[in-house]
Amino acid sequence: MCRDPRLRSVRGMIRIDSLTKRYGDLAAVDDVSFTAFPGRVTGFLGPNGAGKSTTLRILTGLAAPTSGRATVLGRRYADLPNPGLDVGVLLDASAQHGGRTGRETLVLAQRTMGLPDAQVDAMLDLVGLTRTESQRRVRDYSLGMRQRLGIATALLGDPRVLILDEPANGLDPAGIRWMRDLLRAFADDGGTVLLSSHLLAEIELVADDIVVIGHGRVVASGATHELLAASGTLVRAHDGEALVSALASAGYRATPGADGGVVTDAGPADAGRVAFAAGLPLVELRSADGTALEEMFLDLTADDQRDPHPIGALA
Amino acid sequence: MTTLTTPPADVVGRSGPRAVPRNRIPRTRLVDVELRKLVDTRASRWLLAAVPLLTLVVAAGVTIWGSDAETAFAALATTNLMPLELLLPLVAVLTVAGEWSQRSALTTFALVPRRGRVVGAQAVALVLVTLAAAAAVVVLSAVGTVVAAQVRGIDAVWDLGTGLTLRSVLAYLAAVAVEFVAAVAIRSTAPAMVACLGFLFVVPMISTVAAGMWSWWAEHGAWFDLSWSLAFLTAPQITGTQWTQVGTSALLWLALPLALGLRRLLRVEIR
């Protein structure tokens, strides 16, 4: 990824370079490197506690790294003269002063950035908060409304870069769709979007690039379509164990999936032949789009899961 | 960067603020924002509104029921300035520590990553509000003196010395400063509030008891106890030694914790 020619365009870019953050013996972020490019939505995917939020806090100058470097637009975030005009940040929608009205929250940001008053109403319209709602105190907002208010704060300065931590939390399906369209339009307009999520399905739909993080380390990164591209065959038989051993003895790699299916590097035709020769009736046989990514993600999640069927984490 | 040629989407008005030059956010703007934060929540608005309201109530009460001596300007103004010592520190705690308890610090410091600038602006805003409140109280007290004199048919007595007034205001500033420092060092509303009340009521009590039991403290306590030395400021006369005691105790109660609290605040991870 480092030899990517797009790296030369520094404008509108987020760059994380060998970033490490230690809390005592625990490395919350362990030598993380990746780049988010202009015109693209970069999904930062990982289970809860993988180090996503810590990375984003370091990126936005709210935490100091133990070592390594994070830059936005070629500079350290703290060195941006008026960061709100370049980078829109929403790290936690619930972190807003409950005693202020939604509108007042925006006015404070607008004044800090030195923007015209009209920008506040423009943003309220953009995120779909009515005038009446904006006069209510944030304490009385639902999480979905707080997300919208947070997005409004982030977009207020008309930035070129957006950094969002779990922005879909608390949004209803229509809200999630709205958020996805908004981020798409932002990136299509040349903006850089970095958003984190612990939900693969959500990231898959909007991200052009995906960075997968687990236990503080990047375990996979690349273009979404490449990561999700056919990476083997999904075979399902009633006797999963027999199928695995049949495939293995035929010289293929075969891993049993969490839901009874078997992922193998054999092509669909070969996999079917092996099963037929072993006398195993198949229930399902298809090329495993995205299954490898899903399996990897489930493996990451499984370590911290209490649920014996970690597939639930993707729901 | 090929995608940059895509026509601008309507969602974010590209022609607007992007043209704003990238200058460092001026200090005046930060102070303006912090001043706004002092009055834009219901709690702090009520605390500040209480300053002129209490003054009017006291002035009216003294006019109706008080003795002639109590309607004199000095007496009226001194009485009216007293609530400031409680109200303004509470405003300081609510605003500065509230930023952390309510977690709006996350947005504040994302917009202004140089944290020291925000803390500095908060301090300036608090000084301005304290001075404005003190000025309002003095003016309202003057009005009260005139009205009381008219009602009672006596001559208004203008006996408030400039020196004492200024020293009183300095004492209130110091009280606000103690709570500002507590808020910076503790960064949580409830404990900072307890520290506020502790400084105002518990510390003087303990100090008095200690002075009663321990003659060394009775003689030298004012060098260390700020709540003690601040009382010199509001007395009619103050000596040079007492000024020095104000200074040494302020170092202990203000400068030292501020330095430690600030050091921590500038480094702490904001969650």
Side-chain angles (χ1 to χ4, degrees), chain A residues 6 9 11 21 23 38-40 53-54 57 60-64 76-87 89 91-92 94-101 104 107-116 119 123 126 137 139 153 155-161 181-182 185-191, chain B residues 1-26 29-30 32-45 94-95 97-115 117-118 189 266-271:
Chain A
R6 287 172 299 184
S9 61
R11 289 173 66 81
K21 173 77 177 175
Y23 299 101
R40 295 177 79 84
S53 297
T54 307
R57 276 198 293 269
T60 51
L62 298 172
R76 270 177 5 114
Y77 186 92
D79 294 333
L80 296 168
N82 191 345
L85 299 181
D86 290 316
V87 188
V89 178
L91 293 191
D92 187 346
S94 57
Q96 288 164 349
H97 200 298
R100 296 195 179 108
T101 65
E104 179 62 20
V107 167
L108 289 175
Q110 168 247 325
R111 292 207 168 196
T112 306
M113 292 183 232
L115 297 168
Q119 190 72 0
M123 283 306 117
L126 172 63
R137 291 192 292 167
R139 184 173 296 145
T153 313
L155 290 175
L156 197 61
D158 193 16
R160 287 174 285 168
V161 178
D181 292 347
L182 185 128
F186 187 90
D188 287 348
D189 191 26
Chain B
M1 290 279 274
T2 47
T3 41
L4 272 178
T5 52
T6 314
D10 285 328
V11 280
V12 263
R14 283 292 129 95
S15 55
R18 189 160 289 190
V20 175
R22 298 294 186 275
N23 295 328
R24 204 168 112 111
I25 302 172
R29 207 197 279 158
L30 293 177
D32 170 67
V33 168
E34 291 306 327
L35 276 173
R36 209 180 153 101
K37 285 185 192 169
L38 288 177
V39 294
D40 70 358
T41 63
R42 216 180 271 180
S44 53
R45 222 172 4 231
L94 278 180
T95 309
E99 189 87 60
W100 299 87
S101 284
Q102 298 275 343
R103 300 181 60 219
S104 49
L106 213 58
T107 308
T108 303
F109 293 111
L111 290 176
V112 189
R114 306 280 172 170
R115 300 179 192 175
R117 303 193 72 207
V118 174
T189 313
L266 296 182
R267 296 171 183 200
V268 74
E269 176 167 353
I270 302 172
R271 292 162 179 273

Side-chain angles (χ1 to χ4, degrees), chain A residues 35-185:
Chain A
T35 305
F37 298 99
R40 295 177 79 84
V41 176
T42 302
F44 195 25
L45 179 68
N48 293 323
K52 301 187 299 290
S53 297
T54 307
T55 305
L56 297 186
R57 276 198 293 269
I58 295 170
L59 177 59
T60 51
L62 298 172
T66 308
S67 65
R69 201 175 147 82
T71 55
V72 192
L73 303 161
R75 306 167 86 160
R76 270 177 5 114
Y77 186 92
D79 294 333
L80 296 168
N82 191 345
L85 299 181
D86 290 316
V87 188
V89 178
L90 173 56
L91 293 191
D92 187 346
S94 57
Q96 288 164 349
H97 200 298
R100 296 195 179 108
T101 65
R103 160 171 271 280
E104 179 62 20
T105 306
L106 282 179
V107 167
L108 289 175
Q110 168 247 325
R111 292 207 168 196
T112 306
M113 292 183 232
L115 297 168
D117 294 351
Q119 190 72 0
V120 169
D121 286 317
M123 283 306 117
L124 287 171
D125 291 341
L126 172 63
V127 301
L129 286 174
T130 65
R131 295 293 180 281
T132 327
E133 285 169 335
S134 77
Q135 304 293 343
R136 279 162 54 191
R137 291 192 292 167
V138 173
R139 184 173 296 145
D140 304 325
Y141 278 24
S142 66
L143 182 54
M145 287 169 77
R146 287 177 192 227
Q147 288 287 12
R148 286 174 187 268
L149 182 62
I151 289 287
T153 313
L155 290 175
L156 197 61
D158 193 16
R160 287 174 285 168
V161 178
L162 272 184
I163 299 171
L164 312 170
D165 198 1
E166 306 270 359
N169 273 3
L171 289 176
D172 54 20
I176 291 177
R177 174 66 189 271
W178 164 81
M179 172 78 70
R180 202 187 302 149
D181 292 347
L182 185 128
L183 298 182
R184 185 73 263 154

Side-chain angles (χ1 to χ4, degrees), chain A residues 157-242:
Chain A
D158 193 16
R160 287 174 285 168
V161 178
L162 272 184
I163 299 171
L164 312 170
D165 198 1
E166 306 270 359
N169 273 3
L171 289 176
D172 54 20
I176 291 177
R177 174 66 189 271
W178 164 81
M179 172 78 70
R180 202 187 302 149
D181 292 347
L182 185 128
L183 298 182
R184 185 73 263 154
F186 187 90
D188 287 348
D189 191 26
T192 307
V193 180
L194 175 62
L195 86 153
S196 79
S197 177
H198 62 285
L199 301 175
L200 174 60
E202 184 186 303
I203 287 279
E204 231 174 69
L205 285 170
V206 64
D208 303 298
D209 299 309
I210 296 184
V211 177
V212 188
I213 185 173
H215 304 295
R217 301 189 72 97
V218 172
V219 291
S221 68
T224 307
H225 65 87
E226 283 165 14
L227 284 177
L228 293 178
S231 47
T233 305
L234 178 80
V235 211
R236 198 188 304 273
H238 283 300
D239 190 347
E241 282 175 37

